[in-house]
Amino acid sequence: MRTPVHPKTERIYVKVSSDFDATGYMQPKTITWNDGRIFPIEKVKDFRPASLAGRIGDCYTVVIHGQEKHLFFERTDPLFSARFGRWFVERAAALE
């Protein structure tokens, strides 16, 4: 029996603009790439907790240009109260 092969991914940290409602729910609105391109998030379809290599985080299933994508929020160490967390997307890592 063969073990399934999972492609390696790399995290691409991005700037995300988000709103907070009165209950504290965080709603991502746009993603900005390092090169300045801005992509509006048309819809948040799902939200769930995610295990992020030993860190606590969340996975948002969002719609951008009509396509579903996963957007992750990685919560930072509680010792750094000025930094709440950071956003990233995953892409297939280049083969070596």
Side-chain angles (χ1 to χ4, degrees), residues 11 13-14 26 50-60 71-77 83-90:
R11 293 178 181 183
Y13 289 94
V14 293
M26 184 167 46
S51 175
L52 305 171
R55 291 188 178 242
I56 297 171
D58 305 306
C59 177
Y60 290 77
L71 175 64
F72 296 90
F73 183 75
E74 174 185 79
R75 297 183 189 280
T76 57
D77 189 316
R83 290 192 313 181
F84 181 65
R86 58 188 182 162
W87 295 93
F88 71 90
V89 294
E90 291 183 326

Side-chain angles (χ1 to χ4, degrees), residues 20-93:
F20 291 85
D21 69 14
T23 66
Y25 177 73
M26 184 167 46
Q27 180 82 21
K29 296 294 186 181
T30 64
I31 297 174
T32 304
W33 288 96
N34 287 337
D35 64 7
R37 290 179 295 155
I38 299 173
F39 295 92
I41 295 170
E42 298 161 12
K43 182 178 183 180
V44 176
K45 292 185 79 171
D46 187 38
F47 163 82
R48 66 182 182 279
S51 175
L52 305 171
R55 291 188 178 242
I56 297 171
D58 305 306
C59 177
Y60 290 77
T61 302
V62 299
V63 177
I64 300 171
H65 291 300
Q67 297 181 12
E68 281 190 18
K69 304 288 182 184
H70 290 114
L71 175 64
F72 296 90
F73 183 75
E74 174 185 79
R75 297 183 189 280
T76 57
D77 189 316
L79 296 176
F80 299 101
S81 60
R83 290 192 313 181
F84 181 65
R86 58 188 182 162
W87 295 93
F88 71 90
V89 294
E90 291 183 326
R91 75 170 172 197

